[in-house]
mmCIF file of all heavy atoms in Angstrom:
data_model
loop_
_atom_site.group_PDB
_atom_site.id
_atom_site.type_symbol
_atom_site.label_atom_id
_atom_site.label_comp_id
_atom_site.label_asym_id
_atom_site.label_seq_id
_atom_site.Cartn_x
_atom_site.Cartn_y
_atom_site.Cartn_z
ATOM 1 N N GLY A 19 -47.762 -37.708 -170.169
ATOM 2 C CA GLY A 19 -48.437 -37.379 -171.417
ATOM 3 C C GLY A 19 -48.960 -35.962 -171.406
ATOM 4 O O GLY A 19 -48.733 -35.192 -170.460
ATOM 5 N N ALA A 20 -49.682 -35.562 -172.463
ATOM 6 C CA ALA A 20 -50.094 -34.185 -172.569
ATOM 7 C C ALA A 20 -51.212 -33.919 -171.569
ATOM 8 O O ALA A 20 -52.140 -34.634 -171.381
ATOM 9 C CB ALA A 20 -50.672 -33.961 -174.021
ATOM 10 N N LEU A 21 -50.994 -32.769 -170.819
ATOM 11 C CA LEU A 21 -52.051 -32.301 -169.844
ATOM 12 C C LEU A 21 -52.984 -31.432 -170.534
ATOM 13 O O LEU A 21 -54.185 -31.425 -170.327
ATOM 14 C CB LEU A 21 -51.293 -31.605 -168.725
ATOM 15 C CG LEU A 21 -52.194 -31.097 -167.582
ATOM 16 C CD1 LEU A 21 -52.749 -32.262 -166.796
ATOM 17 C CD2 LEU A 21 -51.397 -30.163 -166.666
ATOM 18 N N MET A 22 -52.393 -30.620 -171.443
ATOM 19 C CA MET A 22 -53.243 -29.634 -172.182
ATOM 20 C C MET A 22 -52.757 -29.512 -173.588
ATOM 21 O O MET A 22 -51.571 -29.537 -173.846
ATOM 22 C CB MET A 22 -53.088 -28.286 -171.442
ATOM 23 C CG MET A 22 -54.099 -27.323 -171.876
ATOM 24 S SD MET A 22 -54.184 -25.986 -170.655
ATOM 25 C CE MET A 22 -55.851 -26.085 -170.194
ATOM 26 N N GLU A 23 -53.644 -29.485 -174.517
ATOM 27 C CA GLU A 23 -53.324 -29.333 -175.895
ATOM 28 C C GLU A 23 -54.001 -28.146 -176.517
ATOM 29 O O GLU A 23 -55.243 -28.066 -176.344
ATOM 30 C CB GLU A 23 -53.652 -30.606 -176.694
ATOM 31 C CG GLU A 23 -52.728 -31.754 -176.440
ATOM 32 C CD GLU A 23 -53.226 -33.040 -177.047
ATOM 33 O OE1 GLU A 23 -53.098 -33.213 -178.309
ATOM 34 O OE2 GLU A 23 -53.824 -33.848 -176.355
ATOM 35 N N MET A 24 -53.249 -27.314 -177.195
ATOM 36 C CA MET A 24 -53.842 -26.171 -177.919
ATOM 37 C C MET A 24 -53.844 -26.538 -179.381
ATOM 38 O O MET A 24 -52.822 -26.915 -179.970
ATOM 39 C CB MET A 24 -52.958 -24.960 -177.839
ATOM 40 C CG MET A 24 -52.596 -24.557 -176.383
ATOM 41 S SD MET A 24 -53.974 -23.812 -175.620
ATOM 42 C CE MET A 24 -53.777 -24.566 -174.023
ATOM 43 N N GLN A 25 -55.010 -26.539 -180.033
ATOM 44 C CA GLN A 25 -55.060 -26.913 -181.410
ATOM 45 C C GLN A 25 -55.595 -25.784 -182.278
ATOM 46 O O GLN A 25 -56.739 -25.348 -182.189
ATOM 47 C CB GLN A 25 -55.999 -28.164 -181.582
ATOM 48 C CG GLN A 25 -55.387 -29.374 -180.946
ATOM 49 C CD GLN A 25 -56.269 -30.606 -180.945
ATOM 50 O OE1 GLN A 25 -57.500 -30.463 -181.184
ATOM 51 N NE2 GLN A 25 -55.772 -31.762 -180.712
ATOM 52 N N ASN A 26 -54.705 -25.294 -183.103
ATOM 53 C CA ASN A 26 -55.033 -24.221 -184.104
ATOM 54 C C ASN A 26 -55.817 -23.125 -183.519
ATOM 55 O O ASN A 26 -56.893 -22.729 -183.970
ATOM 56 C CB ASN A 26 -55.800 -24.865 -185.239
ATOM 57 C CG ASN A 26 -55.106 -26.135 -185.755
ATOM 58 O OD1 ASN A 26 -55.454 -27.211 -185.391
ATOM 59 N ND2 ASN A 26 -54.102 -25.906 -186.634
ATOM 60 N N ILE A 27 -55.290 -22.509 -182.435
ATOM 61 C CA ILE A 27 -56.016 -21.430 -181.743
ATOM 62 C C ILE A 27 -55.854 -20.120 -182.556
ATOM 63 O O ILE A 27 -54.729 -19.695 -182.877
ATOM 64 C CB ILE A 27 -55.409 -21.243 -180.343
ATOM 65 C CG1 ILE A 27 -55.466 -22.471 -179.518
ATOM 66 C CG2 ILE A 27 -56.045 -20.035 -179.676
ATOM 67 C CD1 ILE A 27 -56.826 -22.852 -179.037
ATOM 68 N N THR A 28 -56.985 -19.511 -182.804
ATOM 69 C CA THR A 28 -56.959 -18.121 -183.330
ATOM 70 C C THR A 28 -57.851 -17.266 -182.443
ATOM 71 O O THR A 28 -59.006 -17.658 -182.149
ATOM 72 C CB THR A 28 -57.471 -18.127 -184.768
ATOM 73 O OG1 THR A 28 -56.588 -18.911 -185.548
ATOM 74 C CG2 THR A 28 -57.475 -16.700 -185.341
ATOM 75 N N LEU A 29 -57.281 -16.095 -182.040
ATOM 76 C CA LEU A 29 -58.041 -15.243 -181.154
ATOM 77 C C LEU A 29 -58.055 -13.858 -181.781
ATOM 78 O O LEU A 29 -57.047 -13.317 -182.131
ATOM 79 C CB LEU A 29 -57.420 -15.219 -179.804
ATOM 80 C CG LEU A 29 -58.090 -14.285 -178.731
ATOM 81 C CD1 LEU A 29 -59.434 -14.804 -178.250
ATOM 82 C CD2 LEU A 29 -57.144 -14.097 -177.552
ATOM 83 N N ARG A 30 -59.217 -13.286 -181.935
ATOM 84 C CA ARG A 30 -59.356 -11.926 -182.530
ATOM 85 C C ARG A 30 -60.037 -11.034 -181.562
ATOM 86 O O ARG A 30 -60.962 -11.368 -180.856
ATOM 87 C CB ARG A 30 -60.124 -11.968 -183.805
ATOM 88 C CG ARG A 30 -59.416 -12.645 -184.971
ATOM 89 C CD ARG A 30 -60.174 -12.502 -186.248
ATOM 90 N NE ARG A 30 -59.974 -13.673 -187.082
ATOM 91 C CZ ARG A 30 -60.862 -14.676 -187.113
ATOM 92 N NH1 ARG A 30 -61.995 -14.632 -186.411
ATOM 93 N NH2 ARG A 30 -60.613 -15.748 -187.874
ATOM 94 N N PHE A 31 -59.566 -9.725 -181.532
ATOM 95 C CA PHE A 31 -60.378 -8.677 -180.885
ATOM 96 C C PHE A 31 -60.806 -7.733 -181.935
ATOM 97 O O PHE A 31 -59.945 -6.942 -182.416
ATOM 98 C CB PHE A 31 -59.494 -7.963 -179.789
ATOM 99 C CG PHE A 31 -59.031 -8.842 -178.727
ATOM 100 C CD1 PHE A 31 -57.669 -9.263 -178.631
ATOM 101 C CD2 PHE A 31 -59.905 -9.235 -177.765
ATOM 102 C CE1 PHE A 31 -57.308 -10.076 -177.599
ATOM 103 C CE2 PHE A 31 -59.522 -10.071 -176.717
ATOM 104 C CZ PHE A 31 -58.202 -10.459 -176.641
#
Side-chain angles (χ1 to χ4, degrees):
Chain A
L21 182 68
M22 192 162 238
E23 285 171 77
M24 308 285 140
Q25 295 175 341
N26 310 96
I27 302 287
T28 298
L29 178 72
R30 290 188 213 96
F31 297 107

